[in-house]
Amino acid sequence: MCGIVGYFGKDTKVLDTLVNGLKRLEYRGYDSAGIAIVAKDGQVFSKKAIGKIVELEKELEKSDISKFDKVGIAHTRWATHGSPTLDNCHPHFSQDKKIWLVHNGIIENYKQLKKELESKGVQFSSDTDTEVIAHLVQSFYNGDLKKAVQKTLTKLEGAYAIVVVSADEPGRLVAAKKGSPLVLGVSENEYVLASDVSAIISQTRNVIYFEDGELVDIKDGKYTITNFKDAPLKKKIEVIDWDDEAATKGGHEHFLIKEIMEQAKTMEDSCRGRIVSKSGNVRFGGLNTVKDKIARMERVVILGIGTSYYSAKLAELYFEDIAGIPAKAEMTPEFRYKNPYIDEKTWVIAVSQSGETADSVAAIKEAQNRGALVTGIINTVGSTISRITEAGVYNHIGPEISVASTKAFTSQSIILLMHAVMLGRMRGLSLRRAKAILEEIENMPKLAEETLKQNSNIEKLAEKYHKKNNLIYIGRNYNYPVALEGALKVKEIGYVHAEGLSGGELKHGFIALIDENMPTIAVVPQDSIYEKMISNIEEIKARSGIVIAVATDGDKEVADLCDDVIYTPKMKEEIAPIINTIPLQLFAYHVARLRGLDVDKPRNLAKSVTVE
Ligand code: F6R
């Protein structure tokens, strides 16, 4: 995790660019933050603060930090090695305080390196793995920062994106990447290095994505890119299509509510140009090169974790029901520690919003080693997973900034449903059913808009229930993953203990928890398993449980049976789970807000989990 920024450019912009970049990357970690600016005379000004970026800003206001120099680095931390203290806060520095650096990733062999450095008399001032890099660069430094960094890299094992500066060479920045993301924004006489493009778009949309084993040297106002062994590389400048507005709150109180509310549009964006209504088919440009291979596959495995795993769980049902193929959702942190049934007849679809999740990257490599075809469904353009997969599809929903995933879930689920239709059409899915599903997908933005109108009703329900510390969520068949996702949302942002269950699972133990203090949220649309869900609700009511239902518009039976109801429109069974997730997102949002919590940056979490 962690977010890093480096800047070379105009004297008057260094501080603002670094701080604004950190604010954009704050979703990656917010235990502590720090900044270092190298002045033209070689003095280094640094400030650090525990907590969020606003704490660093307060420190900066009080300080005499140089606001007028060309070069600086900054970091927002999600602690892995060493607790969030000032000493452990980046930028870290060498013993002579000449080399300063920021790092995202983990140096796996840091203990051994630390021992070696200590035996040579080096004194450490933090508990971090990162500090070894600063001391190593110092030990190799002989007037050329790039050479010293290159020598250091030969010693490091693990994952890193680093940006390094030296007091002896003001105006120079050297950055390198292996296993953690790094992007360079390029504009006239100005360069921004960052963990992702959201920290860059306010400066420029022209970016270079680095691959593992690449290094950039910014010196005398120019940049050169080489591999770690100094062979020059020519890299393409890509133009990103996100604008600055996409990465701001657009008038909402939080990113989370903005992202929930824009789902009608993001659903449309996810499908744009991809549905061929006439032939009841789906066109994914990103899968063209592997379409023939896909047609020959005998099973599907969908990889993801957290919210992305729950969209994979939904897809498992889609593939079996619509494409008639064995399908399995796999949780990526577990995947490579078992002996998964994967071979060259397996189509593995990796789902990830960030495209950087370390567990998912490792699982993909495992599947590739076993000969599977791996494609991706990724939101972040140019991310690691989008590059290591053989082919894939982007979500096209703009950056998701709030730590809790919302619009990514609905987009992933729609795209997975479309994957199932595409494969189904290769395997005998009838034109009639395919057309009916695709028509309903095209209607989804309207259904989402209707559902979002429930916001104020849901806010009232949250006022009624936000003090409850335990909740149960139930759903069946297509709505079981919805129950899982609803429970995850309220756990992560509301700090409410919640269990997501299949309605049928309740009586096998969990029902012992039911009493008047344990509300259940039941997702109960009028579908093929409606009667079964009604029985499950009856079982809860018979034990004095409170039930809040998410039900089909106008369902009187459910309204009479339950304590409260949130209505969603009447829809097809395949679409319902995707739309039914929206009220649960809104409920979690209002619960968290009413509990006075930091909705966009829940404690202990980070948006992009780039460590295992
Ligand atoms: C939940 C959430 C996490 C992520 C998970 C995977 O709201 O944000 O559970 O879904 O860390 O992240 P990606 O999709 O980026 O691989």
Side-chain angles (χ1 to χ4, degrees):
M1 271 83 76
C2 302
I4 60 174
V5 191
Y7 177 75
F8 169 91
K10 304 197 170 68
D11 278 9
T12 48
K13 280 177 70 180
V14 61
L15 194 64
D16 285 351
T17 309
L18 292 174
V19 173
N20 290 336
L22 284 186
K23 284 187 183 160
R24 294 290 170 83
L25 295 178
E26 200 171 14
Y27 69 86
R28 298 177 67 87
Y30 32 84
D31 294 336
S32 57
I35 209 160
I37 291 175
V38 192
K40 288 179 206 74
D41 61 2
Q43 272 197 80
V44 180
F45 296 86
S46 178
K47 269 288 152 217
K48 300 178 179 185
I50 309 290
K52 302 197 171 123
I53 312 299
V54 329
E55 303 305 325
L56 177 66
E57 284 183 292
K58 285 183 204 156
E59 286 302 315
L60 290 168
E61 270 164 31
K62 291 189 263 172
S63 81
D64 58 352
I65 193 158
S66 169
K67 297 187 170 95
F68 305 106
D69 271 294
K70 280 194 188 321
V71 164
I73 53 177
H75 187 272
T76 181
R77 182 164 185 247
W78 187 84
T80 55
H81 294 72
S83 50
T85 61
L86 276 185
D87 283 343
N88 290 336
C89 185
H90 298 223
H92 286 286
F93 46 83
S94 56
Q95 205 164 325
D96 61 4
K97 293 209 163 181
K98 296 237 167 159
I99 304 292
W100 291 70
L101 70 98
V102 288
H103 165 222
N104 170 32
I106 289 184
I107 305 303
E108 283 163 3
N109 59 337
Y110 86 100
K111 281 195 182 138
Q112 181 207 328
L113 294 170
K114 189 170 178 175
K115 235 185 187 171
E116 285 168 22
L117 287 159
E118 279 174 337
S119 72
K120 291 181 189 153
V122 174
Q123 281 174 10
F124 277 73
S125 52
S126 77
D127 306 321
T128 63
D129 53 332
T130 301
E131 195 183 339
V132 294
I133 311 176
H135 297 303
L136 282 171
V137 176
Q138 179 195 359
S139 72
F140 292 123
Y141 189 75
N142 202 358
D144 185 338
L145 184 61
K146 181 177 166 184
K147 281 199 178 128
V149 171
Q150 278 169 332
K151 283 187 183 153
T152 301
L153 298 179
T154 63
K155 300 271 176 195
L156 303 181
E157 284 167 21
Y160 48 83
I162 52 171
V163 188
V164 193
V165 291
S166 163
D168 285 337
E169 293 178 82
R172 190 173 195 184
L173 287 152
V174 176
K177 165 192 154 56
K178 188 187 147 218
S180 300
L182 185 68
V183 190
L184 174 69
V186 181
S187 55
E188 217 176 302
N189 298 322
E190 238 186 325
Y191 304 105
V192 188
L193 283 154
S195 301
D196 76 41
V197 293
S198 61
I200 295 175
I201 39 180
S202 61
Q203 299 290 327
T204 177
R205 295 211 205 154
N206 298 329
V207 300
I208 294 172
Y209 294 102
F210 292 102
E211 302 292 338
D212 284 353
E214 294 180 350
L215 178 149
V216 58
D217 182 15
I218 298 172
K219 193 183 166 198
D220 303 328
K222 294 193 188 99
Y223 70 91
T224 45
I225 299 173
T226 59
N227 67 15
F228 287 180
K229 294 200 174 127
D230 217 25
L233 296 171
K234 258 204 148 15
K235 299 276 297 180
K236 201 171 126 214
I237 296 182
E238 296 183 36
V239 182
I240 38 178
D241 57 4
W242 294 356
D243 58 13
D244 202 29
E245 169 64 20
T248 59
K249 287 184 202 157
H252 289 278
E253 193 183 342
H254 298 104
F255 279 111
L256 188 68
I257 188 70
K258 177 208 166 204
E259 287 163 6
I260 294 173
M261 287 304 193
E262 70 192 16
Q263 285 177 106
K265 177 173 180 303
T266 54
M267 285 177 176
E268 201 171 332
D269 293 343
S270 306
C271 309
R272 182 163 297 118
R274 290 172 165 173
I275 292 177
V276 193
S277 316
K278 235 179 164 182
S279 57
N281 223 323
V282 171
R283 179 175 45 207
F284 287 122
L287 297 182
N288 274 347
T289 53
V290 291
K291 244 184 141 178
D292 293 344
K293 276 193 197 170
I294 289 172
R296 294 194 296 270
M297 293 295 151
E298 289 179 0
R299 70 193 72 83
V300 178
V301 166
I302 317 106
L303 294 176
I305 184 59
T307 290
S308 297
Y309 173 66
Y310 295 145
S311 65
K313 289 286 292 172
L314 185 53
E316 182 181 86
L317 302 171
Y318 285 149
F319 278 107
E320 295 203 337
D321 177 16
I322 297 166
I325 190 166
K328 193 155 192 276
E330 292 273 10
M331 212 183 254
T332 55
E334 288 299 310
F335 184 73
R336 69 188 175 130
Y337 299 110
K338 52 184 219 164
N339 189 9
Y341 191 88
I342 301 278
D343 60 14
E344 58 289 340
K345 297 265 174 57
T346 315
W347 180 18
V348 172
I349 305 172
V351 186
S352 172
Q353 188 287 129
S354 63
E356 299 294 348
T357 303
D359 288 312
S360 302
V361 171
I364 290 165
K365 289 183 179 161
E366 177 67 33
Q368 286 171 331
N369 285 341
R370 287 169 184 256
L373 163 69
V374 186
T375 67
I377 298 178
I378 308 295
N379 189 37
T380 308
V381 176
S383 57
T384 304
I385 298 180
S386 72
R387 282 177 286 125
I388 62 172
T389 42
E390 195 171 329
V393 173
Y394 281 120
N395 293 90
H396 292 312
I397 57 171
E400 191 181 64
I401 306 284
S402 194
V403 165
S405 194
T406 52
K407 62 176 178 173
F409 176 84
T410 47
S411 167
Q412 289 162 352
S413 304
I414 294 174
I415 292 175
L416 282 161
L417 173 56
M418 288 160 72
H419 275 62
V421 172
M422 181 186 82
L423 187 60
R425 292 294 284 145
M426 298 172 183
R427 297 171 60 88
L429 171 68
S430 74
L431 177 63
R432 220 172 106 220
R433 184 164 181 211
K435 270 186 157 177
I437 296 171
L438 294 175
E439 243 168 52
E440 188 83 339
I441 292 178
E442 286 184 307
N443 193 32
M444 277 182 83
K446 255 199 218 126
L447 297 169
E449 233 156 59
E450 271 308 297
T451 306
L452 286 164
K453 287 186 190 150
Q454 294 287 326
N455 185 30
S456 51
N457 289 341
I458 295 168
E459 187 174 4
K460 284 189 198 116
L461 286 181
E463 274 162 18
K464 190 165 160 191
Y465 293 109
H466 73 277
K467 292 204 173 124
K468 298 282 182 195
N469 288 324
N470 297 287
L471 291 172
I472 287 179
Y473 285 69
I474 58 169
R476 297 189 77 148
N477 194 25
Y478 279 139
N479 288 290
Y480 169 45
V482 177
L484 296 170
E485 172 60 8
L488 175 64
K489 279 302 79 100
V490 82
K491 280 187 261 206
E492 62 178 341
I493 61 172
Y495 312 157
V496 175
H497 167 237
E499 301 264 2
L501 305 171
S502 141
E505 209 180 352
L506 249 191
K507 54 186 166 299
H508 298 282
F510 300 90
I511 204 159
L513 294 168
I514 297 292
D515 63 15
E516 61 284 1
N517 290 315
M518 173 68 91
T520 299
I521 299 187
V523 187
V524 51
Q526 284 169 336
D527 59 10
S528 56
I529 201 155
Y530 176 74
E531 297 302 337
K532 301 282 170 205
M533 271 300 288
I534 293 287
S535 303
N536 297 142
I537 294 172
E538 299 271 16
E539 289 156 9
I540 299 168
K541 291 308 299 171
R543 287 155 183 89
S544 311
I546 300 165
V547 180
I548 306 149
V550 175
T552 304
D553 203 4
D555 187 333
K556 277 274 298 145
E557 184 182 354
V558 166
D560 291 343
L561 182 62
C562 298
D563 298 79
D564 290 288
V565 189
I566 304 164
Y567 283 128
T568 55
K570 181 142 191 61
M571 357 171 214
K572 268 200 151 314
E573 203 151 333
E574 298 87 349
I575 304 296
I578 306 176
I579 297 292
N580 286 339
T581 309
I582 296 173
L584 306 189
Q585 296 169 341
L586 286 167
F587 182 74
Y589 169 70
H590 289 298
V591 166
R593 196 178 50 77
L594 291 163
R595 286 165 82 100
L597 301 174
D598 189 341
V599 172
D600 284 329
K601 298 182 205 93
R603 69 184 177 202
N604 306 338
L605 296 178
K607 180 79 182 155
S608 155
V609 186
T610 54
V611 292
E612 264 198 74

